[in-house]
Amino acid sequence: DPVALMSSLVLTKAVELTLVKEQNGVQFTSSAIVAPAPTQINSSGEEERETWGKKIDFLLSVIGFAVDLANVWRFPYLCYKNGGGAFLVPYLFFMVIAGMPLFYMELALGQYNREGAAGVWKICPIFKGVGFTVILISLYVGFYYNVIISWALFYLFSSFTSELPWVHCNNTWNSPNCSDWADNSSIGDIYKATPAQEYFERGVLHIQDSNGIDDLGRPRWQLTSCLAVVIVLLYFSLWKGVKTSGKVVWITATMPYVVLTVLLLRGVTLPGAIDGIKAYLSVDFLKLCDAKVWIEAATQICFSLGVGFGVLIAFSSYNKFSNNCYRDAIITSSINSLTSFFSGFVVFSFLGYMSHKHNVALDKVARDGAGLVFVIYPEAIATLPGSSVWAVIFFIMLLTLGIDSAMGGMESVITGLIDEFKCLHKHRELFTLFIVVSTFLISLFCVTNGGMYVFTLLDHFAAGTSILFGVLIEAIGIAWFYGVDRFSDDIEEMIGQRPGLYWRLCWKFVSPCFLLRLAYAITPETEHHLVDNGEVRQFTLQHWLVV
């Protein structure tokens, strides 16, 4: 009906009347029919999903999340400890058969379904619990990961001084056991501690003021203030969604590469640096006969790529539907591994320098974890000319490495819950505030005198076997219940080409087996000490044949 059509047209248009100047006593008005700003609606009648401003925003966000502190403090040490260059064999093997396929799977899953970690399981509702599991794990990790960033911020503020506070033993927090490295006789003495070690443990954490996890004390105002700054940074990076976080990562994801390059150029000029790098790359293929080496390579791949946290699903859900997620998976996972390898040169150039300077074996100074970046590295920097400048540069790198990984974890929680509970869509800013404030309040337990005990508890149990189990069920849910064939059809619909046979085999058989047979995940906790020694009874033929 033309009349009905015209009526509906008029109703959907806005009439704009503009009063123009008076000419010869007569007022002229002009009218125009203008269309209101269109609301993007998809085929199902729902409001169109927000997308990344630029493709590079997505890539930097994924790289920034995957490349975190563990790339600096974990991989180089594992490589050195497990055969040097030979460690790359199992590392790259597991990267190809499990890491990349799982990474590709999560990117494709999020992009096709355009939902967070819980919402994507509309494809197989019985597995929705897996989605809530990974959201909860990301929330748990935020409780202690933000604390690491606050330590880095504390060190950064402490570096703005003519003499770094971890150089000597004459500070109020030092104990009688404090001894400078100059006293070589004390190196092997377990009762001695360096100024840098005591600064971290007694000057920053104040562990000496707590008797255990049952004696936490009040939050320390210095660390609480740093934690509050971190939380504020996270909130204003996330409150508007990917439109804001996509711009923040231009700094946080690229800065570490600039700083790593600068530190490498400085590190290789130091005496003993080449010896450190040689030790990092020295090849010992006999190590490959040790099952523990393969287990550590598999575990490192699983955790370093960041699968199982719901972050990759959340990030890719904001992609355009036709985005080539296959190419993205190859690029970002490769950059992550290359960054880990590259950071090893930076770390071991300074460790070689420390070994040379104090005339001790490299294994006396080589370590992983927080001890590397908050004790050994600061100690090495303190011996350089212009040490305060180098300290500021180094801790800015740690800050940027941590902040975008924390942003990814938070985004997983926010996107996952907002997509599941649609009523939160219109209140993203308030909900984001609620999440970050809740995280801050719980993290306060980690910045007390006994906070290190709570931190260690969360670090060991928040994202260990639970992540492996979550990714295992996720892989089984997609490959076996939803179906590899349907999943491949979905990918073909998005990018125009079907995944090759290799990817389909990995999704259906290899990756689930890889996750299921990781030793720590299938061994009773009472036998974990045997796994550390490479003794895994589940890896023996007798275990499977005995009746």
Side-chain angles (χ1 to χ4, degrees), residues 462-476:
T465 305
S466 55
I467 278 288
L468 299 178
F469 182 75
V471 181
L472 169 65
I473 302 302
E474 185 179 286
I476 292 173

Side-chain angles (χ1 to χ4, degrees), residues 40 42-44 46-52 106-123 242 312-323 415-416 418-420 422 425 490 493-494:
Q40 294 182 328
N42 59 25
S43 58
S44 61
E46 297 176 350
E47 188 174 334
E48 189 66 37
R49 189 174 185 81
E50 176 187 19
T51 57
W52 296 96
E106 288 206 346
L107 290 186
L109 181 65
Q111 182 173 307
Y112 184 82
N113 294 284
R114 306 181 72 73
E115 298 262 4
V120 293
W121 289 107
K122 60 189 177 185
I123 62 174
V242 296
L312 301 178
I313 294 175
F315 280 165
S316 62
S317 72
Y318 295 107
N319 277 333
K320 294 178 180 177
F321 186 77
S322 59
N323 175 66
T415 297
I418 283 180
D419 285 344
E420 187 63 22
K422 304 296 184 183
H425 262 291
D490 295 344
E493 184 182 344
M494 289 189 294

Side-chain angles (χ1 to χ4, degrees), residues 204-465:
V204 178
L205 303 181
H206 281 256
I207 294 178
Q208 74 276 11
D209 296 328
S210 172
N211 295 320
I213 198 168
D214 58 336
D215 179 28
L216 296 180
R218 294 180 179 179
R220 299 194 58 78
W221 71 266
Q222 298 94 332
L223 287 180
T224 301
S225 302
C226 291
L227 182 61
V229 172
V230 172
I231 292 298
V232 170
L233 288 174
L234 285 175
Y235 176 71
F236 285 107
S237 299
L238 296 169
W239 71 319
K240 292 293 185 182
V242 296
K243 296 297 184 184
T244 51
S245 64
K247 299 300 179 284
V248 173
V249 293
W250 279 78
I251 298 174
T252 59
T254 57
M255 180 68 75
Y257 292 97
V258 175
V259 176
L260 281 172
T261 303
V262 171
L263 289 174
L264 178 62
L265 294 176
R266 181 67 181 98
V268 294
T269 64
L270 298 173
I274 302 302
D275 293 331
I277 292 174
K278 285 180 179 178
Y280 169 54
L281 297 177
S282 62
V283 177
D284 182 6
F285 284 109
L286 292 178
K287 286 279 189 178
L288 299 183
C289 299
D290 187 352
K292 183 182 178 183
V293 173
W294 292 80
I295 292 169
E296 291 196 333
T299 306
Q300 177 65 14
I301 278 292
C302 189
F303 289 110
S304 68
L305 288 178
V307 293
F309 289 93
V311 178
L312 301 178
I313 294 175
F315 280 165
S316 62
S317 72
Y318 295 107
N319 277 333
K320 294 178 180 177
F321 186 77
S322 59
N323 175 66
N324 192 335
C325 55
Y326 168 69
R327 182 178 57 200
D328 293 346
I330 300 298
I331 291 173
T332 51
S333 59
S334 299
I335 289 176
N336 175 69
S337 296
L338 288 173
T339 304
S340 297
F341 185 62
F342 175 65
S343 66
F345 290 91
V346 182
V347 170
F348 275 86
S349 63
F350 277 84
L351 291 180
Y353 164 65
M354 288 292 288
S355 172
H356 175 271
K357 183 175 180 63
H358 301 296
N359 195 27
V360 296
L362 187 66
D363 58 4
K364 293 289 185 181
V365 294
R367 67 173 75 176
D368 64 345
L372 174 65
V373 295
F374 291 114
V375 177
I376 297 298
Y377 222 94
E379 191 163 25
I381 288 174
T383 64
L384 301 177
S387 57
S388 295
V389 176
W390 290 109
V392 168
I393 292 174
F394 177 72
F395 289 112
I396 286 177
M397 181 192 72
L398 290 190
L399 191 63
T400 54
L401 274 174
I403 203 76
D404 46 15
S405 296
M407 283 166 53
M410 288 284 187
E411 188 61 59
S412 170
V413 177
I414 295 166
T415 297
L417 295 178
I418 283 180
D419 285 344
E420 187 63 22
F421 304 101
K422 304 296 184 183
C423 60
L424 297 174
H425 262 291
K426 296 180 180 179
H427 309 286
R428 180 184 169 106
E429 292 90 345
L430 286 176
F431 184 65
T432 301
L433 182 64
F434 170 75
I435 292 294
V436 297
V437 169
S438 300
T439 301
F440 171 75
L441 293 176
I442 295 177
S443 297
L444 289 177
F445 288 103
C446 295
V447 294
T448 58
N449 293 333
M452 195 59 178
Y453 299 107
V454 180
F455 175 91
T456 304
L457 189 69
L458 289 170
D459 186 32
H460 276 76
F461 296 105
T465 305

Side-chain angles (χ1 to χ4, degrees), residues 142-157:
F143 295 156
Y144 70 90
Y145 196 84
N146 295 335
V147 175
I148 302 176
I149 307 173
S150 70
W151 294 344
L153 190 61
F154 185 91
Y155 269 82
L156 176 62
F157 291 147

Side-chain angles (χ1 to χ4, degrees), residues 18-29:
T18 307
L19 183 66
V20 296
K21 65 179 181 179
E22 182 177 287
Q23 291 182 350
N24 300 324
V26 179
Q27 290 183 335
F28 290 88
T29 62

Side-chain angles (χ1 to χ4, degrees), residues 179-193 358-360 364:
S179 174
D180 291 333
W181 273 96
D183 181 10
N184 287 338
S185 63
S186 68
I187 296 300
D189 191 341
I190 61 173
Y191 299 106
K192 294 295 183 181
H358 301 296
N359 195 27
V360 296
K364 293 289 185 181

